[in-house]
């Protein structure tokens, strides 16, 4: 029995190790599938005339660094990165060419790298071609920073992506930092990731790098990457501490406010403001006066009518003299100012008149139903007319006693 127990324990131990090994292999395979594009080989073209001394070109995606070997010791090199009509050119003195985030180009559309030697007809061309099924990469990628430190990124699945495709978003602020994966994904149908929410976002640098990888059991998913200037996607909050001070004697109003909250410090002269003022009894679509744009923190409203009431809203955007978003931000909460018409007296008089009419009608119908008008309003006797009465009596006497002559 002890021997059988020992053999069973040994068998279970071997099976457990086998499953652990299989689990480790599956995890490694999944990670290789997910991060495969991060270190991709380049397809290089050899010149037809002579063999280039520049060999072994390698692109390190994580460091955004292009490196190579050379059979000759050249003092200077020129690196060129080309994608469509965009080009980045960088002279270096060693065999490494590291592009900053500000100087890099997205790789998901394919990119050409060229290494040259100044004043010599030596060039080495290599091309980066993304692998994976066409149409499987995400589409319509966009991000917005709002409420100072929150960021939302959204996208649509690739048109040809398999149903089991899952996407993963990474981003970083500079070339030295490691990529940070999304912590709170937005899920669509079948649990597929279609967006991400970031918290405590700080705009440390002007440009950030975004990468969306994909994985599927059926096929390899193409990646998507982009470089975004973070200040261009920041949506400003409403201006702070908006106030209105009106003077009836001068018939004008002074409007003051403060700049909106931002993710990092910006000078006051970097903003301009749109002021929208309308009459309270006027619909927004019927408003005749266009909004006013100013680059100060005060505005004098001169068309003020002391007998009218107005509604005020203000929003902000960046000026072209600074690296800030040029799109309009959030509107401030509506602020009402001015004197409203005194409808109390009119309403009170109207209620009194209506009440009097209703009471009169009620008394009329009650009296008609339960009372006699003759008792309430007896007829007034008429005074006797002596002249008319004697004449009538003579006529009646003649009729009763005719004359003997007749």
């Amino acid at each position: 029995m002890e021997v059988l127990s020992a053999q069973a324990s040994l068998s279970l131990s071997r099976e457990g190790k086998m499953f652990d090994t299989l689990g480790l292999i599956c995890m490694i395979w999944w990670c290789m599938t997910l991060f495969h594009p991060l270190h991709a080989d380049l397809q290089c073209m050899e010149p037809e005339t002579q063999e280039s001394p520049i060999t072994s070109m390698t692109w390190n995606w994580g460091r955004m660094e292009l490196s190579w070997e050379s059979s000759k010791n050249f003092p200077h090199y020129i690196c060129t990165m080309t994608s469509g009509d965009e080009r980045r050119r960088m002279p270096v003195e060693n065999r490494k060419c590291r592009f900053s985030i500000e100087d890099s180009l997205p790789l998901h559309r394919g990119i050409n790298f060229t290494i040259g030697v100044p004043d010599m007809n030596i060039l080495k061309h290599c091309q980066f071609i993304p692998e994976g099924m066409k149409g499987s990469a995400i589409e319509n990628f966009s991000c917005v920073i709002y409420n100072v430190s929150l960021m939302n990124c959204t996208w649509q699945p690739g048109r040809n992506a398999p149903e089991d495709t899952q996407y993963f978003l990474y981003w970083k602020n500079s070339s030295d930092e490691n990529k940070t994966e999304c912590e709170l994904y937005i899920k669509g149908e079948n649990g597929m990731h279609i967006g991400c929410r970031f918290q405590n976002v700080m705009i440390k640098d002007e440009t950030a790098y975004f990468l969306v990888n994909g994985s599927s059991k059926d096929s390899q998913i193409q990646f998507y990457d982009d470089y975004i200037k973070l200040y261009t996607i920041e949506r400003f909050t409403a201006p702070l501490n908006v106030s209105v001070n009106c003077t009836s004697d001068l018939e004008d109003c002074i409007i003051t406010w403060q700049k909106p909250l931002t993710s990092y410090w910006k000078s006051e002269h970097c903003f301009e403001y749109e002021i929208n003022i309308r009459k309270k009894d006027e619909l927004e679509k019927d408003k005749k006066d266009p909004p006013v744009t100013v680059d100060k923190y005060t505005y004098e409203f001169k068309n003020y009518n002391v007998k009218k009431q107005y509604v005020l809203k203000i929003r902000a955007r960046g000026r072209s003299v600074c690296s800030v978003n040029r799109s309009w931000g959030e509107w401030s909460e509506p602020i009402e100012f001015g004197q409203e018409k005194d409808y109390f007296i009119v309403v009170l008089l109207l209620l009194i008149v209506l009440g009097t009419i209703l009471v009169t009608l009620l008394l009329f119908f009650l009296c008609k139903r339960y009372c006699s008008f003759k008792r309430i309003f007896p007829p007034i006797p008429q005074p006797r007319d002596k002249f008319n009465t004697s004449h009538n009596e003579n006529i009646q006497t003649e009729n009763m006693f005719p004359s003997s002559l007749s």
Side-chain angles (χ1 to χ4, degrees):
M1 293 295 292
E2 294 180 357
V3 174
L4 293 175
S5 176
Q7 290 179 351
S9 300
L10 180 60
S11 177
L12 290 173
S13 176
R14 289 177 178 176
E15 290 181 357
K17 290 182 179 179
M18 182 177 66
F19 283 118
D20 291 342
T21 304
L22 290 174
L24 180 60
I25 292 173
C26 292
M27 183 179 296
I28 294 174
W29 176 85
W30 182 82
C31 292
M32 290 177 64
T33 303
L34 183 61
F35 295 100
H36 174 72
L38 296 181
H39 294 84
D41 294 332
L42 301 177
Q43 299 180 7
C44 300
M45 297 170 287
E46 294 292 340
E48 298 179 357
T49 56
Q50 60 180 357
E51 184 178 354
S52 174
I54 301 173
T55 59
S56 303
M57 289 180 61
T58 305
W59 171 253
N60 187 320
W61 200 334
R63 295 174 59 84
M64 298 181 184
E65 182 180 83
L66 183 67
S67 60
W68 60 92
E69 299 293 335
S70 179
S71 59
K72 297 181 181 180
N73 189 17
F74 298 109
H76 301 284
Y77 298 90
I78 295 178
C79 305
T80 305
M81 176 190 293
T82 307
S83 177
D85 297 332
E86 296 184 272
R87 175 176 295 184
R88 302 289 186 269
R89 192 170 182 269
M90 179 185 300
V92 294
E93 297 180 357
N94 51 27
R95 297 172 187 176
K96 291 182 179 180
C97 186
R98 189 172 186 181
F99 294 89
S100 64
I101 284 185
E102 288 76 12
D103 296 328
S104 298
L105 297 174
L107 301 179
H108 68 274
R109 295 189 297 264
I111 203 164
N112 294 319
F113 293 102
T114 302
I115 304 298
V117 180
D119 302 327
M120 299 183 68
N121 189 22
I122 297 177
L123 293 173
K124 182 71 172 181
H125 299 281
C126 292
Q127 187 177 20
F128 177 87
I129 301 177
E131 299 178 354
M133 183 176 63
K134 289 186 177 180
S136 61
I138 64 167
E139 301 175 352
N140 301 325
F141 180 81
S142 64
C143 296
V144 59
I145 297 175
Y146 63 100
N147 287 349
V148 181
S149 61
L150 301 179
M151 181 171 69
N152 274 15
C153 295
T154 57
W155 59 82
Q156 293 178 349
R159 288 166 289 179
N160 300 328
E163 292 184 357
D164 69 332
T165 301
Q166 189 59 282
Y167 296 104
F168 304 90
L169 171 63
Y170 301 84
W171 81 300
K172 65 175 183 177
N173 274 334
S174 67
S175 301
D176 296 327
E177 295 179 355
N178 294 324
K179 296 181 181 68
T180 302
E181 185 183 359
C182 170
E183 296 181 355
L184 183 60
Y185 282 105
I186 303 172
K187 297 182 180 181
E189 298 180 358
N190 302 323
M192 181 183 292
H193 298 164
I194 59 172
C196 177
R197 294 187 178 95
F198 292 94
Q199 298 178 348
N200 302 320
V201 175
M202 297 294 294
I203 302 181
K204 298 179 181 179
D205 303 291
E206 292 185 358
T207 306
Y209 177 65
F210 294 85
L211 168 68
V212 182
N213 270 342
S215 65
S216 171
K217 294 184 295 184
D218 299 331
S219 59
Q220 186 175 357
I221 306 301
Q222 289 183 329
F223 70 92
Y224 175 90
D225 66 334
D226 199 5
Y227 296 88
I228 299 178
K229 295 184 181 298
L230 294 181
Y231 70 82
T232 64
I233 63 173
E234 182 180 12
R235 185 173 178 84
F236 296 127
T237 63
L240 304 176
N241 300 327
V242 180
S243 62
V244 185
N245 185 17
C246 299
T247 55
S248 58
D249 53 344
L250 298 178
E251 295 187 354
D252 62 359
C253 295
I254 304 299
I255 304 171
T256 60
W257 61 90
Q258 294 178 354
K259 68 178 183 178
L261 293 175
T262 55
S263 57
Y264 66 102
W265 184 87
K266 297 179 180 67
S267 176
E268 294 182 352
H269 75 277
C270 290
F271 298 94
E272 62 182 3
Y273 302 90
E274 185 177 68
I275 302 173
N276 187 313
I277 302 175
R278 64 174 177 85
K279 297 176 182 177
K280 186 178 179 181
D281 56 357
E282 181 182 41
L283 297 178
E284 188 71 32
K285 62 180 181 178
D286 298 332
K287 184 177 179 297
K288 299 179 181 179
D289 298 330
V292 179
T293 302
V294 298
D295 56 3
K296 303 177 182 179
Y297 292 92
T298 61
Y299 175 70
E300 184 178 359
F301 180 49
K302 296 183 178 181
N303 296 329
Y304 174 59
N305 187 341
V306 295
K307 297 182 180 180
K308 297 286 185 179
Q309 192 171 28
Y310 299 88
V311 179
L312 164 70
K313 294 190 301 182
I314 303 179
R315 61 180 179 177
R317 73 175 179 182
R319 299 178 61 192
S320 58
V321 296
C322 300
S323 296
V324 289
N325 191 1
R326 290 282 297 156
S327 300
W328 288 112
E330 301 287 347
W331 283 108
S332 63
E333 291 294 329
I335 296 178
E336 298 181 1
F337 66 96
Q339 294 183 358
E340 191 174 6
K341 291 181 179 179
D342 191 2
Y343 295 101
F344 177 75
I345 297 178
V346 177
V347 173
L348 181 60
L349 293 176
L350 182 60
L351 291 176
I352 292 174
V353 172
L354 291 176
T356 304
I357 294 174
L358 291 175
V359 171
T360 303
L361 292 175
L362 180 61
L363 291 176
F364 174 78
F365 287 112
L366 289 175
C367 291
K368 185 177 181 181
R369 178 69 176 82
Y370 300 104
C371 302
S372 175
F373 279 94
K374 291 183 178 181
R375 294 179 180 179
I376 299 175
F377 305 105
I380 299 174
Q382 297 294 329
R384 298 182 61 183
D385 190 345
K386 296 182 179 181
F387 298 98
N388 292 334
T389 302
S390 59
H391 177 72
N392 292 334
E393 290 178 351
N394 293 333
I395 295 174
Q396 291 177 2
T397 304
E398 290 178 359
N399 292 331
M400 294 177 61
F401 303 101
S403 174
S404 57
L405 295 175
S406 61

